[in-house]
Amino acid sequence: QVQLVESGGGLVQAGGSLRLSCVASGRIFSINSMGWYRQAPGKQRELVAESTTGGSTNYADSVKSRFTLSRDNANLYLQMNSLKPEDTAVYYCNVRCRVTAWSPVLEYWGQGSQVTVSS
């Protein structure tokens, strides 16, 4: 019912920048939150940055001052500057939303975008 399409991953040298985009489409009544998570090989998926409908934006300590999250309705962007090799991971777009006024909050994930930062 809800589809998330990501774009913008790739290979970059340390200190470089990348911008990830996520477009949510389908039957969305209201969005509770949209965010980016990442998962490095052998590690658990972790929150990178999240925007809530209440207006707050939360960042992982490891990316504060380097990454900037922005959102335009159901479109989500992550500007990543000063990238480090430890930022290498698959990045996933996440949305928590209701598809009708009466439905519970459901969670959807994008297909994942590989970000590789070389030293």
Side-chain angles (χ1 to χ4, degrees):
Q1 286 180 312
V2 175
Q3 296 81 39
L4 302 178
V5 178
E6 305 170 12
S7 61
L11 172 64
V12 66
Q13 289 189 331
S17 298
L18 283 174
R19 186 174 188 247
L20 298 180
S21 299
C22 174
V23 177
S25 62
R27 187 177 183 181
I28 299 175
F29 176 78
S30 63
I31 294 175
N32 283 36
S33 68
M34 289 190 78
W36 290 95
Y37 288 70
R38 68 186 180 186
Q39 187 166 18
K43 295 188 177 181
Q44 289 189 331
R45 191 173 296 188
E46 63 176 2
L47 174 68
V48 177
E50 181 180 58
S51 168
T52 67
T53 301
S56 65
T57 302
N58 305 309
Y59 294 93
D61 287 343
S62 60
V63 307
K64 282 180 181 177
S65 77
R66 299 188 298 121
F67 290 10
T68 302
L69 186 70
S70 58
R71 180 181 155 191
D72 175 14
N73 292 323
N75 301 323
L76 189 69
Y77 308 96
L78 184 68
Q79 178 66 42
M80 304 183 291
N81 298 329
S82 303
L83 282 161
K84 304 175 180 180
E86 50 263 44
D87 294 318
T88 295
V90 178
Y91 285 69
Y92 296 92
C93 180
N94 171 276
V95 65
R96 297 184 179 93
C97 63
R98 298 180 189 274
V99 296
T100 70
W102 306 275
S103 69
V105 175
L106 302 176
E107 184 173 54
Y108 297 90
W109 294 92
Q111 78 278 12
S113 295
Q114 178 69 47
V115 171
T116 302
V117 184
S118 63
S119 58

